[in-house]
PDB file of all heavy atoms in Angstrom:
ATOM      1  N   ASP A  27     168.825 102.941 138.785  1.00  0.00           N
ATOM      2  CA  ASP A  27     169.608 102.709 137.570  1.00  0.00           C
ATOM      3  C   ASP A  27     169.824 101.221 137.340  1.00  0.00           C
ATOM      4  O   ASP A  27     169.817 100.739 136.194  1.00  0.00           O
ATOM      5  CB  ASP A  27     170.961 103.421 137.656  1.00  0.00           C
ATOM      6  CG  ASP A  27     170.846 104.936 137.588  1.00  0.00           C
ATOM      7  OD1 ASP A  27     169.841 105.413 137.022  1.00  0.00           O
ATOM      8  OD2 ASP A  27     171.741 105.629 138.108  1.00  0.00           O
ATOM      9  N   VAL A  28     170.039 100.484 138.435  1.00  0.00           N
ATOM     10  CA  VAL A  28     170.242  99.036 138.333  1.00  0.00           C
ATOM     11  C   VAL A  28     168.998  98.379 137.747  1.00  0.00           C
ATOM     12  O   VAL A  28     169.084  97.483 136.893  1.00  0.00           O
ATOM     13  CB  VAL A  28     170.574  98.437 139.721  1.00  0.00           C
ATOM     14  CG1 VAL A  28     170.544  96.903 139.656  1.00  0.00           C
ATOM     15  CG2 VAL A  28     171.942  98.907 140.184  1.00  0.00           C
ATOM     16  N   VAL A  29     167.827  98.838 138.184  1.00  0.00           N
ATOM     17  CA  VAL A  29     166.572  98.292 137.662  1.00  0.00           C
ATOM     18  C   VAL A  29     166.449  98.577 136.170  1.00  0.00           C
ATOM     19  O   VAL A  29     166.140  97.683 135.375  1.00  0.00           O
ATOM     20  CB  VAL A  29     165.369  98.895 138.419  1.00  0.00           C
ATOM     21  CG1 VAL A  29     164.059  98.458 137.773  1.00  0.00           C
ATOM     22  CG2 VAL A  29     165.402  98.477 139.876  1.00  0.00           C
ATOM     23  N   ILE A  30     166.677  99.826 135.782  1.00  0.00           N
ATOM     24  CA  ILE A  30     166.547 100.212 134.370  1.00  0.00           C
ATOM     25  C   ILE A  30     167.508  99.412 133.504  1.00  0.00           C
ATOM     26  O   ILE A  30     167.126  98.858 132.461  1.00  0.00           O
ATOM     27  CB  ILE A  30     166.789 101.728 134.210  1.00  0.00           C
ATOM     28  CG1 ILE A  30     165.666 102.512 134.887  1.00  0.00           C
ATOM     29  CG2 ILE A  30     166.888 102.109 132.730  1.00  0.00           C
ATOM     30  CD1 ILE A  30     165.905 103.998 134.971  1.00  0.00           C
ATOM     31  N   GLU A  31     168.774  99.331 133.933  1.00  0.00           N
ATOM     32  CA  GLU A  31     169.765  98.598 133.145  1.00  0.00           C
ATOM     33  C   GLU A  31     169.471  97.104 133.136  1.00  0.00           C
ATOM     34  O   GLU A  31     169.696  96.413 132.137  1.00  0.00           O
ATOM     35  CB  GLU A  31     171.167  98.861 133.692  1.00  0.00           C
ATOM     36  CG  GLU A  31     171.663 100.278 133.458  1.00  0.00           C
ATOM     37  CD  GLU A  31     171.704 100.633 131.980  1.00  0.00           C
ATOM     38  OE1 GLU A  31     172.124  99.782 131.175  1.00  0.00           O
ATOM     39  OE2 GLU A  31     171.310 101.769 131.648  1.00  0.00           O
ATOM     40  N   GLY A  32     168.959  96.581 134.258  1.00  0.00           N
ATOM     41  CA  GLY A  32     168.656  95.158 134.325  1.00  0.00           C
ATOM     42  C   GLY A  32     167.528  94.767 133.389  1.00  0.00           C
ATOM     43  O   GLY A  32     167.614  93.760 132.670  1.00  0.00           O
ATOM     44  N   ILE A  33     166.450  95.564 133.377  1.00  0.00           N
ATOM     45  CA  ILE A  33     165.334  95.270 132.469  1.00  0.00           C
ATOM     46  C   ILE A  33     165.771  95.474 131.016  1.00  0.00           C
ATOM     47  O   ILE A  33     165.395  94.703 130.124  1.00  0.00           O
ATOM     48  CB  ILE A  33     164.117  96.136 132.828  1.00  0.00           C
ATOM     49  CG1 ILE A  33     163.601  95.754 134.223  1.00  0.00           C
ATOM     50  CG2 ILE A  33     163.015  95.985 131.781  1.00  0.00           C
ATOM     51  CD1 ILE A  33     162.475  96.637 134.723  1.00  0.00           C
ATOM     52  N   LYS A  34     166.570  96.503 130.788  1.00  0.00           N
ATOM     53  CA  LYS A  34     167.098  96.738 129.437  1.00  0.00           C
ATOM     54  C   LYS A  34     167.891  95.527 128.964  1.00  0.00           C
ATOM     55  O   LYS A  34     167.749  95.081 127.809  1.00  0.00           O
ATOM     56  CB  LYS A  34     167.987  97.982 129.436  1.00  0.00           C
ATOM     57  CG  LYS A  34     168.683  98.265 128.115  1.00  0.00           C
ATOM     58  CD  LYS A  34     169.581  99.490 128.239  1.00  0.00           C
ATOM     59  CE  LYS A  34     170.416  99.704 126.986  1.00  0.00           C
ATOM     60  NZ  LYS A  34     171.343 100.855 127.133  1.00  0.00           N
ATOM     61  N   ALA A  35     168.724  94.966 129.843  1.00  0.00           N
ATOM     62  CA  ALA A  35     169.522  93.791 129.475  1.00  0.00           C
ATOM     63  C   ALA A  35     168.626  92.602 129.147  1.00  0.00           C
ATOM     64  O   ALA A  35     168.918  91.821 128.225  1.00  0.00           O
ATOM     65  CB  ALA A  35     170.489  93.444 130.609  1.00  0.00           C
ATOM     66  N   MET A  36     167.539  92.445 129.890  1.00  0.00           N
ATOM     67  CA  MET A  36     166.613  91.338 129.631  1.00  0.00           C
ATOM     68  C   MET A  36     165.948  91.493 128.266  1.00  0.00           C
ATOM     69  O   MET A  36     165.681  90.510 127.574  1.00  0.00           O
ATOM     70  CB  MET A  36     165.561  91.279 130.741  1.00  0.00           C
ATOM     71  CG  MET A  36     166.134  90.925 132.107  1.00  0.00           C
ATOM     72  SD  MET A  36     164.966  91.214 133.479  1.00  0.00           S
ATOM     73  CE  MET A  36     163.796  89.871 133.204  1.00  0.00           C
ATOM     74  N   ILE A  37     165.678  92.749 127.859  1.00  0.00           N
ATOM     75  CA  ILE A  37     165.081  92.990 126.540  1.00  0.00           C
ATOM     76  C   ILE A  37     166.107  92.761 125.439  1.00  0.00           C
ATOM     77  O   ILE A  37     165.831  92.102 124.432  1.00  0.00           O
ATOM     78  CB  ILE A  37     164.507  94.417 126.472  1.00  0.00           C
ATOM     79  CG1 ILE A  37     163.332  94.565 127.443  1.00  0.00           C
ATOM     80  CG2 ILE A  37     164.063  94.761 125.048  1.00  0.00           C
ATOM     81  CD1 ILE A  37     162.808  95.985 127.583  1.00  0.00           C
ATOM     82  N   LEU A  38     167.324  93.294 125.645  1.00  0.00           N
ATOM     83  CA  LEU A  38     168.358  93.162 124.616  1.00  0.00           C
ATOM     84  C   LEU A  38     168.767  91.714 124.405  1.00  0.00           C
ATOM     85  O   LEU A  38     169.134  91.314 123.297  1.00  0.00           O
ATOM     86  CB  LEU A  38     169.580  94.008 124.995  1.00  0.00           C
ATOM     87  CG  LEU A  38     169.372  95.528 124.977  1.00  0.00           C
ATOM     88  CD1 LEU A  38     170.638  96.241 125.438  1.00  0.00           C
ATOM     89  CD2 LEU A  38     168.987  96.005 123.584  1.00  0.00           C
ATOM     90  N   SER A  39     168.717  90.908 125.463  1.00  0.00           N
ATOM     91  CA  SER A  39     169.107  89.495 125.340  1.00  0.00           C
ATOM     92  C   SER A  39     168.026  88.656 124.684  1.00  0.00           C
ATOM     93  O   SER A  39     168.268  87.505 124.306  1.00  0.00           O
ATOM     94  CB  SER A  39     169.418  88.919 126.727  1.00  0.00           C
ATOM     95  OG  SER A  39     168.224  88.795 127.501  1.00  0.00           O
ATOM     96  N   GLY A  40     166.826  89.210 124.563  1.00  0.00           N
ATOM     97  CA  GLY A  40     165.719  88.460 123.984  1.00  0.00           C
ATOM     98  C   GLY A  40     164.886  87.731 125.020  1.00  0.00           C
ATOM     99  O   GLY A  40     163.878  87.097 124.672  1.00  0.00           O
ATOM    100  N   GLU A  41     165.289  87.809 126.273  1.00  0.00           N
ATOM    101  CA  GLU A  41     164.509  87.167 127.326  1.00  0.00           C
ATOM    102  C   GLU A  41     163.124  87.785 127.432  1.00  0.00           C
ATOM    103  O   GLU A  41     162.134  87.092 127.689  1.00  0.00           O
ATOM    104  CB  GLU A  41     165.243  87.284 128.664  1.00  0.00           C
ATOM    105  CG  GLU A  41     164.524  86.621 129.823  1.00  0.00           C
ATOM    106  CD  GLU A  41     165.271  86.735 131.140  1.00  0.00           C
ATOM    107  OE1 GLU A  41     166.439  87.184 131.125  1.00  0.00           O
ATOM    108  OE2 GLU A  41     164.687  86.382 132.183  1.00  0.00           O
ATOM    109  N   LEU A  42     163.057  89.087 127.264  1.00  0.00           N
ATOM    110  CA  LEU A  42     161.780  89.793 127.200  1.00  0.00           C
ATOM    111  C   LEU A  42     161.652  90.416 125.816  1.00  0.00           C
ATOM    112  O   LEU A  42     162.588  91.066 125.333  1.00  0.00           O
ATOM    113  CB  LEU A  42     161.712  90.892 128.262  1.00  0.00           C
ATOM    114  CG  LEU A  42     161.682  90.473 129.731  1.00  0.00           C
ATOM    115  CD1 LEU A  42     161.731  91.712 130.617  1.00  0.00           C
ATOM    116  CD2 LEU A  42     160.443  89.652 130.040  1.00  0.00           C
ATOM    117  N   GLY A  43     160.520  90.221 125.182  1.00  0.00           N
ATOM    118  CA  GLY A  43     160.276  90.823 123.879  1.00  0.00           C
ATOM    119  C   GLY A  43     159.023  91.661 123.909  1.00  0.00           C
ATOM    120  O   GLY A  43     158.345  91.758 124.950  1.00  0.00           O
ATOM    121  N   PRO A  44     158.668  92.299 122.805  1.00  0.00           N
ATOM    122  CA  PRO A  44     157.437  93.090 122.760  1.00  0.00           C
ATOM    123  C   PRO A  44     156.235  92.267 123.210  1.00  0.00           C
ATOM    124  O   PRO A  44     156.016  91.157 122.736  1.00  0.00           O
ATOM    125  CB  PRO A  44     157.337  93.476 121.281  1.00  0.00           C
ATOM    126  CG  PRO A  44     158.758  93.475 120.806  1.00  0.00           C
ATOM    127  CD  PRO A  44     159.413  92.356 121.537  1.00  0.00           C
ATOM    128  N   GLY A  45     155.501  92.796 124.156  1.00  0.00           N
ATOM    129  CA  GLY A  45     154.334  92.097 124.665  1.00  0.00           C
ATOM    130  C   GLY A  45     154.607  91.166 125.827  1.00  0.00           C
ATOM    131  O   GLY A  45     153.660  90.628 126.420  1.00  0.00           O
ATOM    132  N   SER A  46     155.884  90.959 126.178  1.00  0.00           N
ATOM    133  CA  SER A  46     156.213  90.058 127.282  1.00  0.00           C
ATOM    134  C   SER A  46     155.844  90.684 128.625  1.00  0.00           C
ATOM    135  O   SER A  46     155.991  91.889 128.821  1.00  0.00           O
ATOM    136  CB  SER A  46     157.716  89.734 127.289  1.00  0.00           C
ATOM    137  OG  SER A  46     158.093  89.037 126.132  1.00  0.00           O
ATOM    138  N   ARG A  47     155.401  89.846 129.527  1.00  0.00           N
ATOM    139  CA  ARG A  47     155.061  90.316 130.867  1.00  0.00           C
ATOM    140  C   ARG A  47     156.289  90.240 131.766  1.00  0.00           C
ATOM    141  O   ARG A  47     157.035  89.252 131.731  1.00  0.00           O
ATOM    142  CB  ARG A  47     153.942  89.467 131.452  1.00  0.00           C
ATOM    143  CG  ARG A  47     153.474  89.908 132.822  1.00  0.00           C
ATOM    144  CD  ARG A  47     152.326  89.043 133.292  1.00  0.00           C
ATOM    145  NE  ARG A  47     151.878  89.419 134.622  1.00  0.00           N
ATOM    146  CZ  ARG A  47     150.853  88.866 135.253  1.00  0.00           C
ATOM    147  NH1 ARG A  47     150.163  87.906 134.659  1.00  0.00           N
ATOM    148  NH2 ARG A  47     150.520  89.263 136.462  1.00  0.00           N
ATOM    149  N   LEU A  48     156.503  91.282 132.577  1.00  0.00           N
ATOM    150  CA  LEU A  48     157.620  91.269 133.514  1.00  0.00           C
ATOM    151  C   LEU A  48     157.370  90.225 134.603  1.00  0.00           C
ATOM    152  O   LEU A  48     156.213  89.961 134.948  1.00  0.00           O
ATOM    153  CB  LEU A  48     157.780  92.641 134.178  1.00  0.00           C
ATOM    154  CG  LEU A  48     158.895  93.546 133.631  1.00  0.00           C
ATOM    155  CD1 LEU A  48     158.637  93.891 132.184  1.00  0.00           C
ATOM    156  CD2 LEU A  48     159.002  94.810 134.473  1.00  0.00           C
ATOM    157  N   PRO A  49     158.440  89.640 135.140  1.00  0.00           N
ATOM    158  CA  PRO A  49     158.269  88.749 136.286  1.00  0.00           C
ATOM    159  C   PRO A  49     157.570  89.491 137.417  1.00  0.00           C
ATOM    160  O   PRO A  49     157.593  90.722 137.482  1.00  0.00           O
ATOM    161  CB  PRO A  49     159.712  88.386 136.671  1.00  0.00           C
ATOM    162  CG  PRO A  49     160.504  88.602 135.417  1.00  0.00           C
ATOM    163  CD  PRO A  49     159.848  89.759 134.724  1.00  0.00           C
ATOM    164  N   VAL A  50     156.960  88.739 138.339  1.00  0.00           N
ATOM    165  CA  VAL A  50     156.268  89.377 139.453  1.00  0.00           C
ATOM    166  C   VAL A  50     157.274  90.200 140.253  1.00  0.00           C
ATOM    167  O   VAL A  50     158.479  89.921 140.276  1.00  0.00           O
ATOM    168  CB  VAL A  50     155.581  88.334 140.353  1.00  0.00           C
ATOM    169  CG1 VAL A  50     154.493  87.614 139.596  1.00  0.00           C
ATOM    170  CG2 VAL A  50     156.589  87.359 140.926  1.00  0.00           C
ATOM    171  N   GLU A  51     156.779  91.242 140.882  1.00  0.00           N
ATOM    172  CA  GLU A  51     157.634  92.232 141.545  1.00  0.00           C
ATOM    173  C   GLU A  51     158.644  91.598 142.504  1.00  0.00           C
ATOM    174  O   GLU A  51     159.835  91.942 142.502  1.00  0.00           O
ATOM    175  CB  GLU A  51     156.742  93.225 142.281  1.00  0.00           C
ATOM    176  CG  GLU A  51     157.486  94.408 142.869  1.00  0.00           C
ATOM    177  CD  GLU A  51     156.546  95.387 143.532  1.00  0.00           C
ATOM    178  OE1 GLU A  51     156.240  95.179 144.737  1.00  0.00           O
ATOM    179  OE2 GLU A  51     156.115  96.343 142.860  1.00  0.00           O
ATOM    180  N   LYS A  52     158.186  90.674 143.344  1.00  0.00           N
ATOM    181  CA  LYS A  52     159.064  90.057 144.331  1.00  0.00           C
ATOM    182  C   LYS A  52     160.225  89.335 143.673  1.00  0.00           C
ATOM    183  O   LYS A  52     161.388  89.506 144.052  1.00  0.00           O
ATOM    184  CB  LYS A  52     158.268  89.079 145.201  1.00  0.00           C
ATOM    185  CG  LYS A  52     159.118  88.353 146.239  1.00  0.00           C
ATOM    186  CD  LYS A  52     158.269  87.378 147.039  1.00  0.00           C
ATOM    187  CE  LYS A  52     159.139  86.589 148.017  1.00  0.00           C
ATOM    188  NZ  LYS A  52     158.327  85.596 148.777  1.00  0.00           N
ATOM    189  N   ASP A  53     159.930  88.538 142.645  1.00  0.00           N
ATOM    190  CA  ASP A  53     160.980  87.774 141.963  1.00  0.00           C
ATOM    191  C   ASP A  53     161.946  88.687 141.222  1.00  0.00           C
ATOM    192  O   ASP A  53     163.163  88.454 141.215  1.00  0.00           O
ATOM    193  CB  ASP A  53     160.352  86.781 140.982  1.00  0.00           C
ATOM    194  CG  ASP A  53     159.556  85.686 141.687  1.00  0.00           C
ATOM    195  OD1 ASP A  53     159.755  85.509 142.908  1.00  0.00           O
ATOM    196  OD2 ASP A  53     158.735  85.027 141.020  1.00  0.00           O
ATOM    197  N   LEU A  54     161.420  89.743 140.584  1.00  0.00           N
ATOM    198  CA  LEU A  54     162.269  90.653 139.829  1.00  0.00           C
ATOM    199  C   LEU A  54     163.191  91.430 140.765  1.00  0.00           C
ATOM    200  O   LEU A  54     164.364  91.659 140.454  1.00  0.00           O
ATOM    201  CB  LEU A  54     161.414  91.607 138.996  1.00  0.00           C
ATOM    202  CG  LEU A  54     162.154  92.521 138.023  1.00  0.00           C
ATOM    203  CD1 LEU A  54     163.001  91.708 137.044  1.00  0.00           C
ATOM    204  CD2 LEU A  54     161.172  93.411 137.257  1.00  0.00           C
ATOM    205  N   ALA A  55     162.663  91.828 141.933  1.00  0.00           N
ATOM    206  CA  ALA A  55     163.484  92.553 142.903  1.00  0.00           C
ATOM    207  C   ALA A  55     164.643  91.689 143.375  1.00  0.00           C
ATOM    208  O   ALA A  55     165.788  92.154 143.492  1.00  0.00           O
ATOM    209  CB  ALA A  55     162.633  92.997 144.089  1.00  0.00           C
ATOM    210  N   VAL A  56     164.366  90.419 143.663  1.00  0.00           N
ATOM    211  CA  VAL A  56     165.425  89.501 144.099  1.00  0.00           C
ATOM    212  C   VAL A  56     166.455  89.300 142.995  1.00  0.00           C
ATOM    213  O   VAL A  56     167.671  89.330 143.236  1.00  0.00           O
ATOM    214  CB  VAL A  56     164.814  88.146 144.528  1.00  0.00           C
ATOM    215  CG1 VAL A  56     165.919  87.112 144.748  1.00  0.00           C
ATOM    216  CG2 VAL A  56     163.985  88.320 145.789  1.00  0.00           C
ATOM    217  N   ARG A  57     165.972  89.113 141.801  1.00  0.00           N
ATOM    218  CA  ARG A  57     166.890  88.873 140.680  1.00  0.00           C
ATOM    219  C   ARG A  57     167.828  90.058 140.446  1.00  0.00           C
ATOM    220  O   ARG A  57     169.022  89.876 140.185  1.00  0.00           O
ATOM    221  CB  ARG A  57     166.088  88.596 139.415  1.00  0.00           C
ATOM    222  CG  ARG A  57     166.960  88.526 138.165  1.00  0.00           C
ATOM    223  CD  ARG A  57     166.219  88.011 136.982  1.00  0.00           C
ATOM    224  NE  ARG A  57     167.068  88.036 135.801  1.00  0.00           N
ATOM    225  CZ  ARG A  57     166.718  87.518 134.645  1.00  0.00           C
ATOM    226  NH1 ARG A  57     165.550  86.891 134.515  1.00  0.00           N
ATOM    227  NH2 ARG A  57     167.536  87.587 133.606  1.00  0.00           N
ATOM    228  N   LEU A  58     167.294  91.272 140.560  1.00  0.00           N
ATOM    229  CA  LEU A  58     168.109  92.456 140.295  1.00  0.00           C
ATOM    230  C   LEU A  58     168.862  92.929 141.532  1.00  0.00           C
ATOM    231  O   LEU A  58     169.696  93.830 141.452  1.00  0.00           O
ATOM    232  CB  LEU A  58     167.226  93.589 139.756  1.00  0.00           C
ATOM    233  CG  LEU A  58     166.520  93.313 138.416  1.00  0.00           C
ATOM    234  CD1 LEU A  58     165.630  94.484 138.027  1.00  0.00           C
ATOM    235  CD2 LEU A  58     167.535  93.026 137.318  1.00  0.00           C
ATOM    236  N   GLY A  59     168.548  92.345 142.677  1.00  0.00           N
ATOM    237  CA  GLY A  59     169.251  92.711 143.898  1.00  0.00           C
ATOM    238  C   GLY A  59     168.886  94.084 144.415  1.00  0.00           C
ATOM    239  O   GLY A  59     169.744  94.810 144.927  1.00  0.00           O
ATOM    240  N   VAL A  60     167.610  94.444 144.298  1.00  0.00           N
ATOM    241  CA  VAL A  60     167.158  95.755 144.757  1.00  0.00           C
ATOM    242  C   VAL A  60     165.931  95.579 145.634  1.00  0.00           C
ATOM    243  O   VAL A  60     165.282  94.529 145.641  1.00  0.00           O
ATOM    244  CB  VAL A  60     166.817  96.679 143.571  1.00  0.00           C
ATOM    245  CG1 VAL A  60     168.036  96.902 142.689  1.00  0.00           C
ATOM    246  CG2 VAL A  60     165.655  96.115 142.752  1.00  0.00           C
ATOM    247  N   SER A  61     165.587  96.630 146.361  1.00  0.00           N
ATOM    248  CA  SER A  61     164.365  96.618 147.141  1.00  0.00           C
ATOM    249  C   SER A  61     163.192  97.032 146.262  1.00  0.00           C
ATOM    250  O   SER A  61     163.376  97.498 145.132  1.00  0.00           O
ATOM    251  CB  SER A  61     164.491  97.553 148.349  1.00  0.00           C
ATOM    252  OG  SER A  61     164.758  98.877 147.913  1.00  0.00           O
ATOM    253  N   ARG A  62     161.985  96.877 146.790  1.00  0.00           N
ATOM    254  CA  ARG A  62     160.796  97.113 145.959  1.00  0.00           C
ATOM    255  C   ARG A  62     160.599  98.589 145.607  1.00  0.00           C
ATOM    256  O   ARG A  62     160.072  98.899 144.534  1.00  0.00           O
ATOM    257  CB  ARG A  62     159.552  96.562 146.659  1.00  0.00           C
ATOM    258  CG  ARG A  62     159.563  95.032 146.767  1.00  0.00           C
ATOM    259  CD  ARG A  62     158.188  94.508 147.102  1.00  0.00           C
ATOM    260  NE  ARG A  62     158.205  93.051 147.248  1.00  0.00           N
ATOM    261  CZ  ARG A  62     157.119  92.302 147.403  1.00  0.00           C
ATOM    262  NH1 ARG A  62     155.929  92.892 147.454  1.00  0.00           N
ATOM    263  NH2 ARG A  62     157.207  91.002 147.529  1.00  0.00           N
ATOM    264  N   GLY A  63     161.020  99.498 146.489  1.00  0.00           N
ATOM    265  CA  GLY A  63     160.860 100.921 146.185  1.00  0.00           C
ATOM    266  C   GLY A  63     161.605 101.328 144.922  1.00  0.00           C
ATOM    267  O   GLY A  63     160.995 101.866 143.980  1.00  0.00           O
ATOM    268  N   PRO A  64     162.926 101.098 144.858  1.00  0.00           N
ATOM    269  CA  PRO A  64     163.659 101.425 143.630  1.00  0.00           C
ATOM    270  C   PRO A  64     163.177 100.644 142.420  1.00  0.00           C
ATOM    271  O   PRO A  64     163.219 101.143 141.289  1.00  0.00           O
ATOM    272  CB  PRO A  64     165.101 101.052 143.982  1.00  0.00           C
ATOM    273  CG  PRO A  64     165.170 101.168 145.468  1.00  0.00           C
ATOM    274  CD  PRO A  64     163.826 100.713 145.951  1.00  0.00           C
ATOM    275  N   LEU A  65     162.700  99.403 142.647  1.00  0.00           N
ATOM    276  CA  LEU A  65     162.180  98.623 141.527  1.00  0.00           C
ATOM    277  C   LEU A  65     160.990  99.347 140.902  1.00  0.00           C
ATOM    278  O   LEU A  65     160.905  99.487 139.681  1.00  0.00           O
ATOM    279  CB  LEU A  65     161.758  97.234 142.001  1.00  0.00           C
ATOM    280  CG  LEU A  65     161.108  96.344 140.930  1.00  0.00           C
ATOM    281  CD1 LEU A  65     162.108  96.020 139.825  1.00  0.00           C
ATOM    282  CD2 LEU A  65     160.556  95.064 141.531  1.00  0.00           C
ATOM    283  N   ARG A  66     160.091  99.829 141.759  1.00  0.00           N
ATOM    284  CA  ARG A  66     158.914 100.522 141.240  1.00  0.00           C
ATOM    285  C   ARG A  66     159.301 101.828 140.552  1.00  0.00           C
ATOM    286  O   ARG A  66     158.718 102.193 139.535  1.00  0.00           O
ATOM    287  CB  ARG A  66     157.932 100.791 142.380  1.00  0.00           C
ATOM    288  CG  ARG A  66     157.280  99.514 142.912  1.00  0.00           C
ATOM    289  CD  ARG A  66     156.544  99.724 144.213  1.00  0.00           C
ATOM    290  NE  ARG A  66     155.984  98.478 144.721  1.00  0.00           N
ATOM    291  CZ  ARG A  66     155.512  98.319 145.953  1.00  0.00           C
ATOM    292  NH1 ARG A  66     155.527  99.350 146.800  1.00  0.00           N
ATOM    293  NH2 ARG A  66     155.020  97.161 146.334  1.00  0.00           N
ATOM    294  N   GLU A  67     160.293 102.537 141.090  1.00  0.00           N
ATOM    295  CA  GLU A  67     160.753 103.779 140.462  1.00  0.00           C
ATOM    296  C   GLU A  67     161.341 103.501 139.080  1.00  0.00           C
ATOM    297  O   GLU A  67     161.083 104.241 138.121  1.00  0.00           O
ATOM    298  CB  GLU A  67     161.797 104.460 141.346  1.00  0.00           C
ATOM    299  CG  GLU A  67     161.234 105.042 142.637  1.00  0.00           C
ATOM    300  CD  GLU A  67     162.323 105.640 143.510  1.00  0.00           C
ATOM    301  OE1 GLU A  67     163.492 105.658 143.067  1.00  0.00           O
ATOM    302  OE2 GLU A  67     162.011 106.091 144.625  1.00  0.00           O
ATOM    303  N   GLY A  68     162.147 102.451 138.976  1.00  0.00           N
ATOM    304  CA  GLY A  68     162.733 102.097 137.687  1.00  0.00           C
ATOM    305  C   GLY A  68     161.688 101.711 136.671  1.00  0.00           C
ATOM    306  O   GLY A  68     161.764 102.100 135.494  1.00  0.00           O
ATOM    307  N   VAL A  69     160.691 100.952 137.108  1.00  0.00           N
ATOM    308  CA  VAL A  69     159.621 100.545 136.204  1.00  0.00           C
ATOM    309  C   VAL A  69     158.824 101.773 135.747  1.00  0.00           C
ATOM    310  O   VAL A  69     158.492 101.909 134.561  1.00  0.00           O
ATOM    311  CB  VAL A  69     158.694  99.520 136.892  1.00  0.00           C
ATOM    312  CG1 VAL A  69     157.411  99.319 136.076  1.00  0.00           C
ATOM    313  CG2 VAL A  69     159.422  98.187 137.062  1.00  0.00           C
ATOM    314  N   ARG A  70     158.541 102.698 136.677  1.00  0.00           N
ATOM    315  CA  ARG A  70     157.818 103.921 136.301  1.00  0.00           C
ATOM    316  C   ARG A  70     158.599 104.722 135.272  1.00  0.00           C
ATOM    317  O   ARG A  70     158.023 105.286 134.339  1.00  0.00           O
ATOM    318  CB  ARG A  70     157.532 104.774 137.538  1.00  0.00           C
ATOM    319  CG  ARG A  70     156.314 104.336 138.334  1.00  0.00           C
ATOM    320  CD  ARG A  70     155.853 105.432 139.293  1.00  0.00           C
ATOM    321  NE  ARG A  70     156.841 105.681 140.329  1.00  0.00           N
ATOM    322  CZ  ARG A  70     156.850 105.084 141.522  1.00  0.00           C
ATOM    323  NH1 ARG A  70     155.932 104.180 141.810  1.00  0.00           N
ATOM    324  NH2 ARG A  70     157.758 105.385 142.413  1.00  0.00           N
TER     325      ARG A  70
END
């Protein structure tokens, strides 16, 4: 849920827009404070 809400916040703030590439997995996991398993589940 943290991953989903975190990426949603990045889209709503304008940091990510249509066509934007997500940060690399390692950096995004650190930023959201989650491990890679839940990160991948949220992205899926």
Side-chain angles (χ1 to χ4, degrees):
D27 290 335
V28 170
V29 173
I30 293 171
E31 291 301 318
I33 295 175
K34 175 182 173 183
M36 294 167 72
I37 294 173
L38 292 177
S39 70
E41 181 179 351
L42 293 175
S46 296
R47 182 178 178 177
L48 259 62
V50 296
E51 187 177 87
K52 178 181 176 182
D53 293 343
L54 187 57
V56 170
R57 172 169 177 173
L58 298 177
V60 299
S61 59
R62 293 196 182 187
L65 176 65
R66 291 168 182 167
E67 290 177 4
V69 168
R70 278 196 294 268

